[in-house]
Amino acid sequence: MPPRSAAGALTVPASAAPVFAPGRAAAEEVPRPVPGIVKPLPAEWFVPHDTNAEMRWDALRDADGKAVIGRHVPTERFFVRNHTGTPLIDPDRWRLRLFGSGLRGAPTAGRAVEFGLEDLRALPSTRIDALIECAGNGRSYYRSQQHQSVPGTPWRLGGIGSASWRGVRLAELLRAAGLTDDAVDLLPVGLDPDYVVGGENYGPVRRPLPVAKALDDVLLAYEMNDEPLTPDHGAPARLVVPGWVGIASIKWVGSIEVADHPLQSPWNTDFYRMFGPDYPPGGGAPLSTQLVKSAFELAVGAVLAAGREHRLHGRSWSGAAPVDRVEVSTDGGRTWRPAELCEEPRADNWTRWSVDWRPERPGPYELRARATDRLGGGQPERAPFNREGYLFGAVVAHPVTVV
């Protein structure tokens, strides 16, 4: 662990000290992009959506209903959200540049504080459990349940995953780089290929992050589930921003601007904010905290036997607080009963639950699950509409058939 001065300030050892070096344009760091997704996408685990891959909830259990995935989703089964394609980046050549008016000496983009992967590993490491969830997770239900047309990837509820992440707290890195008390915003920039849509080039994925959040609980991760990050999940290093929409957890981070003034990018002005009749003309505030959601570990349209006891399993989560309670309905929401929580709820992660059900009569049924977190946040019957279909947090109808 790096030594500290008598006053308690972090003193970075020579082996981990950042060097001031001429900055290089992000484009020079980007290798030739690999189209699409690198890892295999078995149909029994994933539903592909162009450059994205959604986790199948029923894949969390085997054919006999036994759990095959615990709190953490294995890396090979973890969902993928890409704006373009997964880049392959040489970890030995990778460098993270920090610059801007929020650092001592105000290094500019051409003169940056630079860290390599070994420099990060020389700093004190931290391990956290946290969910990553796409802001559009559940988007398809705006169409199927609320009959509202929205663009974008038609996620059900599989744009989410929990993992164990190891890396350096962003607060530790910023202080090592010379963070000042005047810093307001950060702008992490990914090394993925430029995002081009509708004939417009928006550049690499980048989104401002308030310094207050960065100093709170954000991790610059280089390991996932006790192994080095893989390309699809941000190797060599990515941000993990607990509780917030997935776009904040920038993958393949190549640079971070630290500014003493608010920063902007298309990912907090044009995208990832609420637009629609119930929001201001310029859109709502940039999205941050995720909502409360629940999902069954069961295929949509599953066939179950009548006259038998079935144990229904699922998971609930909230970006704001630990889950407090979960209720399940097997009759389309007419009646509800409490589910049994299978573990102590934690902040920034999902909680597994189960409930027994014995359907006596054959026919179609509609299962529903709803959760409440410890701050009182819950799941309404209907999600407020927004033009891009973000943050669907309503109760989801889950049809099954009993025979």
Side-chain angles (χ1 to χ4, degrees):
M1 177 178 291
R4 294 181 180 271
S5 68
L10 175 69
T11 302
V12 183
S15 61
V19 296
F20 286 89
R24 287 174 287 178
E28 294 178 4
E29 297 283 341
V30 181
R32 184 175 181 177
V34 176
I37 296 171
V38 172
K39 70 180 181 183
L41 301 174
E44 63 270 24
W45 293 353
F46 295 103
V47 178
H49 299 295
D50 297 325
T51 59
N52 310 303
E54 176 169 7
M55 177 190 74
R56 289 186 180 273
W57 276 90
D58 53 303
L60 275 59
R61 296 194 166 266
D62 63 18
D64 295 325
K66 296 180 180 178
V68 294
I69 292 178
R71 186 182 287 273
H72 299 146
V73 177
T75 304
E76 65 270 17
R77 292 180 177 231
F78 208 89
F79 88 102
V80 180
R81 169 66 174 109
N82 284 350
H83 276 73
T84 53
T86 295
L88 295 178
I89 300 170
D90 183 349
D92 294 330
R93 298 181 60 191
W94 174 84
R95 295 293 183 272
L96 173 64
R97 299 179 299 111
L98 288 86
F99 64 93
S101 57
L103 298 179
R104 285 195 299 271
T108 65
R111 186 169 177 268
V113 184
E114 190 171 286
F115 294 84
L117 194 56
E118 289 307 310
D119 299 325
L120 298 184
R121 291 185 177 276
L123 292 170
S125 69
T126 298
R127 188 186 306 275
I128 64 171
D129 289 352
L131 292 169
I132 301 288
E133 181 183 9
C134 180
N137 199 28
R139 177 183 282 123
S140 68
Y141 298 110
Y142 279 106
R143 305 172 192 170
S144 63
Q145 287 191 189
Q146 300 188 179
H147 310 293
Q148 295 167 322
S149 178
V150 293
T153 302
W155 302 99
R156 285 186 172 177
L157 287 172
I160 185 172
S162 169
S164 172
W165 310 92
R166 180 171 173 259
V168 178
R169 287 197 176 276
L170 192 51
E172 192 90 38
L173 188 70
L174 290 170
R175 290 174 182 132
L179 184 72
T180 71
D181 292 339
D182 296 326
V184 172
D185 269 358
L186 313 179
L187 185 62
V189 181
L191 293 175
D192 38 344
D194 289 358
Y195 179 56
V196 180
V197 63
E200 184 167 356
N201 187 334
Y202 289 95
V205 175
R206 61 204 186 279
R207 190 173 195 260
L209 180 70
V211 165
K213 177 65 174 175
L215 296 180
D216 181 23
D217 58 1
V218 178
L219 189 74
L220 181 67
Y222 47 72
E223 286 185 6
M224 178 182 182
N225 294 332
D226 300 319
E227 297 288 344
L229 285 172
T230 58
D232 292 310
H233 301 296
R238 67 170 298 164
L239 292 187
V240 177
V241 184
W244 278 33
V245 291
I247 186 61
S249 295
I250 298 293
K251 297 193 285 185
W252 315 296
V253 179
S255 66
I256 300 176
E257 180 180 356
V258 185
D260 61 3
H261 55 275
L263 297 171
Q264 292 185 334
S265 86
W267 281 266
N268 75 333
T269 56
D270 297 354
F271 317 130
Y272 296 97
R273 57 194 306 170
M274 301 292 208
F275 295 94
D278 297 327
Y279 299 96
L287 302 182
S288 57
T289 308
Q290 279 284 8
L291 301 182
V292 184
K293 294 188 181 74
S294 300
F296 287 92
E297 298 176 12
L298 185 68
V300 173
V303 178
L304 306 174
R308 286 183 51 190
E309 190 88 359
H310 299 279
R311 193 158 186 83
L312 305 175
H313 300 269
R315 305 185 187 210
S316 298
W317 61 95
S318 167
V323 168
D324 183 57
R325 63 185 183 275
V326 179
E327 299 170 290
V328 172
S329 172
T330 56
D331 56 13
R334 290 190 296 276
T335 62
W336 296 85
R337 55 196 173 107
E340 177 186 349
L341 303 188
C342 302
E343 58 207 350
E344 178 63 27
R346 304 181 193 175
D348 307 323
N349 219 314
W350 48 28
T351 298
R352 293 172 288 179
W353 48 260
S354 63
V355 66
D356 291 330
W357 179 42
R358 184 184 178 93
E360 298 295 345
R361 297 181 179 178
Y365 288 80
E366 184 182 280
L367 308 179
R368 296 188 176 200
R370 66 186 183 191
T372 304
D373 69 24
R374 292 181 182 171
L375 292 179
Q379 296 183 252
E381 287 299 308
R382 190 174 179 86
F385 172 78
N386 67 93
R387 191 182 69 197
E388 304 301 325
Y390 294 131
L391 298 185
F392 186 92
V395 176
V396 169
H398 192 109
V400 298
T401 300
V402 174
V403 297

